[in-house]
Amino acid sequence: MTLISAGFNMLVRWGGVVLMTYFGYRSVTVLAGETTTADIGIKILSDLKVSEAAAWIFGAGGMTYGARQRSFRLKANQVLGSRVSELETDIDRRRSSSKLTTRGLTNPSDAL
Amino acid sequence: MTTHDTLVTALSTLVSLTGIWVLLCWFYRDYRVDLFRHHLFSLRAELFDHARRGELPFDHPAYVALRTTLNGFLRYAERIGFVSIFLAGRAANASVVESAADGEWAKWELTVNTLEPELRAELLAIRARMHFEVFKQILLSSPLLLLTLIPIVLAALVQLAGQRLVWKVVNPLYKACESTFERVSGPLDAVAFKIGTTA
């Protein structure tokens, strides 16, 4: 059951990427023999407007910021989470655990 | 527009769409799992505090069952999603799992009933919030569901807001002209009532 659902999720995720790549490939092959990859590259760069470049920088910057923030939060989990776990175990010796890693991520043995 | 221009537009659109797809299927999914776990950790801490304050023992069946369930959701948070729930619902052995779970929760409700009413209410609230978080996770962690659900919800909200706005404008107008409407609608209502009784 879990494998089917994981397989479906994988199919949707990678299916989208494959579809986009296919369309990209088809777009480029339309010009096969008429132009070179260098021409396309030059055209893209020469067409790039300041507003578009700013939008790209904004998007990429936002994603980098999000990724960095997540990384810091996982590190904080490691530092603070283990302390909370120790203190709780002092109070309740038979404290049960979620079996997540110290960073709060899925345990590799539970990952699909 | 030349073929080159079209190609540049097509490629940049594809790169943007791929970026949005990666954002939805990887980064957003991870974010939802982290957020779900964060909320469940808060609930588990709240539950722990009840026991720490001595309101119920750490080995009380109600405490143990609720904490164990929270741990289960925390552990397999990545696997909770619309597809897995849909498949689980259709599985042949789902009824076995369901009846086992029902039995477990029926026992839990019996044990929680032995607690003080205030504490009982607190534990029931923790359990309800846990279920709400699971429900949210099922709805919002699926990119496909998100892409279809958000436009539907937005459309419904716009419609609702529109209706309220229209009613806000229409209601004072109606109030202002109520006596005139009464004169016109009174006989109409009587006719409709008469027709209604003979229908």
Side-chain angles (χ1 to χ4, degrees), chain A residues 1-2 5 8 12-13 16 20 24 27 31 35 43 56 63 70 73 92 95-98 100 106 110, chain B residues 3-5 7-8 14-15 18 21 25 27 34 37 44 58 67 71 75 78-79 83-84 87 91:
Chain A
M1 189 63 57
T2 321
S5 127
F8 180 80
V12 170
R13 281 178 175 193
M20 306 280 185
S27 308
L31 290 180
T35 188
K43 184 72 187 165
W56 278 94
M63 282 182 82
R70 182 169 194 258
R73 195 173 45 75
D92 176 19
R95 175 187 180 275
S96 57
S97 159
S98 59
L100 298 181
T106 304
D110 292 332
Chain B
T3 320
H4 271 101
D5 292 330
L7 182 67
V8 168
L14 274 172
V15 171
T18 311
W21 191 251
C25 290
F27 295 151
D34 288 351
R37 279 184 172 146
R44 204 181 71 170
F58 282 108
R67 187 177 171 101
N71 279 338
R75 187 173 179 180
E78 262 186 357
R79 299 188 191 182
V83 178
S84 52
L87 287 174

Side-chain angles (χ1 to χ4, degrees), chain A residues 1-2 4-5 8-9 12-17 19-25 27-28 30-31 34-36 39-40 43-44 47 56 63 67 70 73-74 87-89 91-92 94-100 104-107 109-112, chain B residues 2-5 7-8 10-12 14-19 21-23 25-27 29-31 33-34 37 41 44-45 48 52 58-59 63-64 67-68 70-72 74-79 83-84 87-88 90-93 143-144:
Chain A
M1 189 63 57
T2 321
I4 295 172
S5 127
F8 180 80
N9 284 333
V12 170
R13 281 178 175 193
W14 287 104
V17 174
L19 200 69
M20 306 280 185
T21 313
Y22 170 72
F23 283 130
Y25 168 75
S27 308
V28 175
V30 166
L31 290 180
E34 292 177 30
T35 188
T36 63
D39 286 341
I40 298 167
K43 184 72 187 165
I44 288 174
D47 275 7
W56 278 94
M63 282 182 82
R70 182 169 194 258
R73 195 173 45 75
L74 293 178
L87 292 171
E88 284 190 0
T89 310
I91 298 170
D92 176 19
R94 295 171 65 194
R95 175 187 180 275
S96 57
S97 159
S98 59
K99 307 271 186 257
L100 298 181
L105 296 172
T106 304
N107 202 305
S109 61
D110 292 332
L112 286 169
Chain B
T2 65
T3 320
H4 271 101
D5 292 330
L7 182 67
V8 168
L11 284 179
S12 58
L14 274 172
V15 171
S16 300
L17 285 174
T18 311
W21 191 251
V22 169
L23 192 71
C25 290
W26 276 271
F27 295 151
R29 170 95 186 148
D30 285 347
Y31 161 73
V33 170
D34 288 351
R37 279 184 172 146
F41 272 127
R44 204 181 71 170
F48 183 87
R52 185 183 54 82
F58 282 108
D59 57 356
Y63 175 87
V64 173
R67 187 177 171 101
T68 308
L70 280 164
N71 279 338
L74 283 166
R75 187 173 179 180
Y76 294 112
E78 262 186 357
R79 299 188 191 182
V83 178
S84 52
L87 287 174
R90 297 189 74 85
N93 62 351
L144 287 179

